[in-house]
Amino acid sequence: MINIAIDGPAGSGKSTVAKLIAKKLNILYLDTGAMYRACGLKATALGISCNDEQGVNSFINGIDLQVKYENGTQHVYLDGEDVSESIRKNEVSKMASDISKWPMVRAKMVQMQRDVASKQHCVLDGRDICMYVLPNAKYKFFMTASAEVRAQRRCNELEQKGQAVDYDAILKEINQRDYNDSHRAHSPLAKAPDAELLDTSYISAEEVANYIIEKVKKGENL
Ligand code: DC
């Protein structure tokens, strides 16, 4: 199977690049962050704090979470309901970052991710894909960009959706999320030694995607 693993912090452009790669190579894109977002949403719906490990452990193994592909787009279903839109809300980012630190949550999500990756050619993006989920992936990348550039991208995204934006608040949130994601005890965000570092601050997603595609084509003789 062709497995392309992309890690990086929030706003580094991973998902835009991964989507382009999936489309151009006609392979699957698995957005692993969306899965943690759905876990956060579920805890909140149950009235459980994402920081309450025991509370989270009480439901995580039985979570009814499904990732489906409809017309080439990933949809996330929670208890049979399509939550693809609601997991994108800004407040859900913090829930996902909080809930993703618990070992039982990670074990459950990683099992689902490995299962998908073992059955089809795919590109996965997340925080722990290169080091933990697919340590044997042939293509590994770590995408990054300055926190300021990432905050600006997030503001543009929210503006496009007609949501109110406050650049300083978003920059603070990004820095906080980077800190949380890279300081947790289990599978913290870090560049794998064998992943190629790509700084996307000043190059377009299209250029990054094309660069990765070329590498894959060469590696696979496509
Ligand atoms: O990529 P994202 O912003 O949708 O991810 C939301 C949160 O989920 C992120 O702050 C940390 C967590 N996450 C993770 O721990 N491991 C992954 N593979 C993907 C996301």
Side-chain angles (χ1 to χ4, degrees):
M1 288 301 153
I2 302 175
N3 283 165
I4 306 168
I6 306 179
D7 288 322
S12 55
K14 318 180 287 291
S15 64
T16 312
V17 166
K19 275 182 207 154
L20 284 168
I21 295 171
K23 201 168 172 197
K24 291 189 184 187
L25 289 178
N26 195 23
I27 60 175
L28 192 84
Y29 163 49
L30 181 64
D31 170 1
T32 65
M35 299 168 69
Y36 291 96
R37 286 170 179 270
C39 293
L41 204 62
K42 177 70 186 177
T44 307
L46 290 171
I48 294 170
S49 160
C50 294
N51 286 312
D52 169 3
E53 184 174 16
Q54 271 194 349
V56 168
N57 287 353
S58 70
F59 76 84
I60 200 70
N61 270 328
I63 193 168
D64 178 6
L65 170 63
Q66 286 179 311
V67 178
K68 293 186 184 167
Y69 295 87
E70 290 158 14
N71 303 321
T73 309
Q74 174 173 301
H75 286 257
V76 178
Y77 286 83
L78 195 56
D79 298 318
E81 187 196 337
D82 188 345
V83 294
S84 314
E85 283 282 314
S86 40
I87 56 170
R88 292 290 140 211
K89 290 196 183 127
N90 210 30
E91 61 266 26
V92 183
S93 306
K94 170 86 170 57
M95 296 175 199
S97 183
D98 286 340
I99 205 163
S100 67
K101 65 177 172 273
W102 302 124
M104 266 176 79
V105 176
R106 303 207 68 80
K108 177 84 181 165
M109 295 305 115
V110 169
Q111 183 195 352
M112 290 172 70
Q113 293 156 17
R114 286 184 180 150
D115 189 49
V116 171
S118 68
K119 292 187 180 133
Q120 53 227 303
H121 298 315
C122 58
V123 48
L124 288 83
D125 76 353
R127 304 291 188 289
D128 59 340
I129 311 298
C130 297
M131 291 230 256
Y132 190 65
V133 180
L134 300 174
N136 296 323
K138 189 164 166 190
Y139 305 98
K140 294 182 174 181
F141 301 91
F142 188 88
M143 286 179 49
T144 188
S146 72
E148 289 73 18
V149 166
R150 292 186 283 124
Q152 191 55 56
R153 285 180 185 159
R154 185 75 188 130
C155 285
N156 297 346
E157 232 175 77
L158 292 172
E159 254 170 7
Q160 271 172 15
K161 288 184 191 159
Q163 295 184 31
V165 295
D166 173 345
Y167 173 83
D168 291 332
I170 288 180
L171 179 60
K172 204 170 148 207
E173 272 169 30
I174 288 222
N175 280 322
Q176 182 63 52
R177 202 136 74 90
D178 283 357
Y179 184 86
N180 281 354
D181 294 347
S182 50
H183 286 80
R184 64 178 181 223
H186 304 278
S187 312
L189 168 69
K191 182 190 158 306
D194 56 350
E196 185 174 342
L197 181 69
L198 300 173
D199 187 331
T200 70
S201 301
Y202 304 107
I203 46 173
S204 71
E206 188 87 28
E207 284 170 286
V208 180
N210 286 339
Y211 174 80
I212 295 177
I213 289 167
E214 280 317 306
K215 287 217 134 179
V216 174
K217 282 188 171 167
K218 254 194 204 149
E220 303 298 316
N221 288 321
L222 296 176

